[in-house]
């Protein structure tokens, strides 16, 4: 009964007019398929092949300024933000690939004809200084490969979001944590809310508020049929999901 109420509450705030269905973002790439692994070159390529809206990755900076692509802070006992590149370069993913650097994925983006964007999540490091280094290094790498129009940025750290928009006025940045109103973020130059489905259930009014301000709305991480249908009906622009093929079917 509670769930039904939430569903109806979300639906009541749906942007009904001209809404063509939510677009799909593959969470950590398309990895729930043979030969793939989360945050790998393969998971990016497979997402590009699907032509989904976006393929999401997570980025940490090493002590010597390299950007490693991995979700967790630690991998096989190595804490990426406290390690040198030398300590990270041979870390091996479940599918046998070496852990990629951001630049490896930017090279793939530069070459691809796919419309899929790379959604770069800059992780929350243990110091403000490391967060700011990660932002600067990420923007520099994106510029170096000339893929500014093929990437967007997300972060749980409000500081990271502010630094991104301060250093790159064109960057499309969305905030993940779920504790700020669209109005506040809009004032700060942040282009979207990218919130957990439960936050949007609690604050369904934020969907319309964001849209009225010209902001985008993304729900994460929604991988089951009922959840995908619920947020699609609610009119969110993007659904971040571990099941991109299912989400594409349900939202078209
Ligand atoms: Mg992420």
């Amino acid at each position: 009964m509670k769930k039904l109420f939430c569903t109806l509450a979300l639906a009541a705030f749906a942007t009904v007019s001209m809404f063509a269905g939510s677009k799909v973002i593959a969470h950590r790439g398309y990895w729930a398929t043979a030969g793939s692994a989360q945050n790998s070159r393969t998971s990016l390529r497979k997402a590009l092949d699907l032509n989904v809206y976006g393929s999401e990755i997570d980025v940490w900076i090493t002590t010597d300024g390299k950007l490693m692509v991995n979700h967790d802070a630690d991998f096989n006992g190595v804490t990426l933000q406290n390690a040198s590149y030398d300590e990270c370069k041979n870390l091996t993913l479940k599918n046998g690939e070496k852990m990629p650097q951001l630049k490896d994925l930017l090279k793939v983006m530069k070459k691809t004809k796919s419309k899929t964007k790379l959604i770069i999540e800059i992780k929350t490091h243990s110091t403000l200084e490391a967060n700011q280094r990660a932002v600067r290094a990420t923007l520099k790498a994106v510029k170096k490969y000339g893929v500014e129009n093929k990437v967007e940025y997300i972060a749980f750290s409000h500081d990271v979001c502010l630094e991104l928009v301060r250093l790159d006025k064109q960057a499309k940045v969305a905030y993940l944590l779920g504790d700020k109103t669209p109005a506040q973020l809009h004032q700060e130059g942040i282009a979207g809310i990218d919130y957990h489905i439960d936050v949007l259930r609690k604050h369904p009014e934020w969907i319309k508020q964001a849209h009225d301000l010209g902001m985008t709305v993304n729900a994460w991480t929604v991988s089951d049929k009922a959840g995908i249908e619920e947020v699609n009906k609610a009119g969110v622009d993007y659904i971040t999901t571990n099941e991109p093929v299912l989400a594409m079917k349900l939202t078209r």
Side-chain angles (χ1 to χ4, degrees), residues 27-28 39 56-58 71 119 121 123 154 156 176:
H27 183 229
R28 307 177 196 172
N39 276 309
E56 189 255 4
I57 58 163
D58 304 286
H71 178 265
I119 313 297
E121 178 182 345
K123 301 304 289 185
I154 56 176
F156 282 95
L176 292 165

Side-chain angles (χ1 to χ4, degrees), residues 13-15 180-186 191 193 195 200 203-217:
F13 284 90
T15 309
K180 298 189 190 303
T181 63
Q184 176 183 342
L185 297 168
H186 181 256
I193 55 170
Y195 286 172
L200 297 175
H203 290 286
E205 75 281 6
W206 283 356
I207 298 174
K208 185 175 186 303
Q209 285 175 15
H211 286 157
D212 287 348
L213 291 164
M215 299 173 76
T216 57
V217 179

Side-chain angles (χ1 to χ4, degrees), residues 102-118:
L102 176 63
K103 71 174 184 182
D104 299 320
L105 304 186
L106 295 178
K107 283 180 200 168
V108 174
M109 293 305 294
K110 190 179 172 73
K111 273 195 208 144
T112 185
K113 298 242 182 332
S114 171
K115 293 257 191 304
T116 302
K117 290 182 188 284
L118 185 65

Side-chain angles (χ1 to χ4, degrees), residues 35 37 39-43 91-100:
N39 276 309
S40 66
R41 295 163 187 80
T42 304
S43 70
L91 295 173
T92 304
L93 308 183
K94 280 202 174 111
N95 67 345
E97 280 179 43
K98 298 289 182 224
M99 181 184 290

Side-chain angles (χ1 to χ4, degrees), residues 150-166:
K150 293 181 168 187
V151 307
E152 296 178 8
Y153 303 93
I154 56 176
F156 282 95
S157 161
H158 189 228
D159 290 329
V160 164
C161 291
L162 293 179
E163 190 70 351
L164 280 163
V165 297
R166 188 178 76 81

Side-chain angles (χ1 to χ4, degrees), residues 116-136:
T116 302
K117 290 182 188 284
L118 185 65
I119 313 297
I120 302 173
E121 178 182 345
I122 299 181
K123 301 304 289 185
T124 306
H125 296 68
S126 55
T127 65
L128 177 63
E129 183 274 329
N131 279 339
Q132 292 177 337
R133 267 195 307 126
V135 169
R136 285 194 300 272

Side-chain angles (χ1 to χ4, degrees), residues 31-245:
W31 53 267
T33 181
S36 195
Q38 296 187 3
N39 276 309
S40 66
R41 295 163 187 80
T42 304
S43 70
L44 172 58
R45 289 207 182 91
K46 285 182 183 284
L48 295 175
D49 288 346
L50 288 181
N51 262 311
V52 279
Y53 178 81
S55 183
E56 189 255 4
I57 58 163
D58 304 286
V59 169
W60 295 95
I61 196 161
T62 62
T63 53
D64 49 354
K66 303 290 186 195
L67 294 160
M68 303 307 299
V69 177
N70 190 60
H71 178 265
D72 291 351
D74 302 290
F75 189 97
N76 289 354
V78 177
T79 303
L80 301 169
Q81 63 179 308
N82 297 335
S84 65
Y85 173 62
D86 215 44
E87 294 168 271
C88 300
K89 68 182 182 194
N90 289 319
L91 295 173
T92 304
L93 308 183
K94 280 202 174 111
N95 67 345
E97 280 179 43
K98 298 289 182 224
M99 181 184 290
Q101 293 183 68
L102 176 63
K103 71 174 184 182
D104 299 320
L105 304 186
L106 295 178
K107 283 180 200 168
V108 174
M109 293 305 294
K110 190 179 172 73
K111 273 195 208 144
T112 185
K113 298 242 182 332
S114 171
K115 293 257 191 304
T116 302
K117 290 182 188 284
L118 185 65
I119 313 297
I120 302 173
E121 178 182 345
I122 299 181
K123 301 304 289 185
T124 306
H125 296 68
S126 55
T127 65
L128 177 63
E129 183 274 329
N131 279 339
Q132 292 177 337
R133 267 195 307 126
V135 169
R136 285 194 300 272
T138 299
L139 290 173
K140 192 175 167 192
V142 167
K143 198 171 176 195
K144 179 176 172 186
Y145 289 95
V147 291
E148 293 95 326
N149 295 328
K150 293 181 168 187
V151 307
E152 296 178 8
Y153 303 93
I154 56 176
F156 282 95
S157 161
H158 189 228
D159 290 329
V160 164
C161 291
L162 293 179
E163 190 70 351
L164 280 163
V165 297
R166 188 178 76 81
L167 294 176
D168 183 353
K169 298 279 177 278
Q170 306 302 315
K172 180 170 187 281
V173 181
Y175 177 62
L176 292 165
L177 194 57
D179 62 339
K180 298 189 190 303
T181 63
Q184 176 183 342
L185 297 168
H186 181 256
Q187 234 174 17
E188 296 168 340
I190 293 165
I193 55 170
D194 187 345
Y195 286 172
H196 190 274
I197 181 172
D198 286 343
V199 174
L200 297 175
R201 282 172 176 153
K202 200 173 160 201
H203 290 286
E205 75 281 6
W206 283 356
I207 298 174
K208 185 175 186 303
Q209 285 175 15
H211 286 157
D212 287 348
L213 291 164
M215 299 173 76
T216 57
V217 179
N218 186 334
W220 58 267
T221 297
V222 190
S223 303
D224 64 297
K225 182 171 181 282
I228 292 165
E229 287 175 342
E230 178 188 347
V231 292
N232 183 51
K233 208 183 276 181
V236 307
D237 303 282
Y238 310 110
I239 302 173
T240 300
T241 180
N242 292 326
E243 296 291 347
V245 176

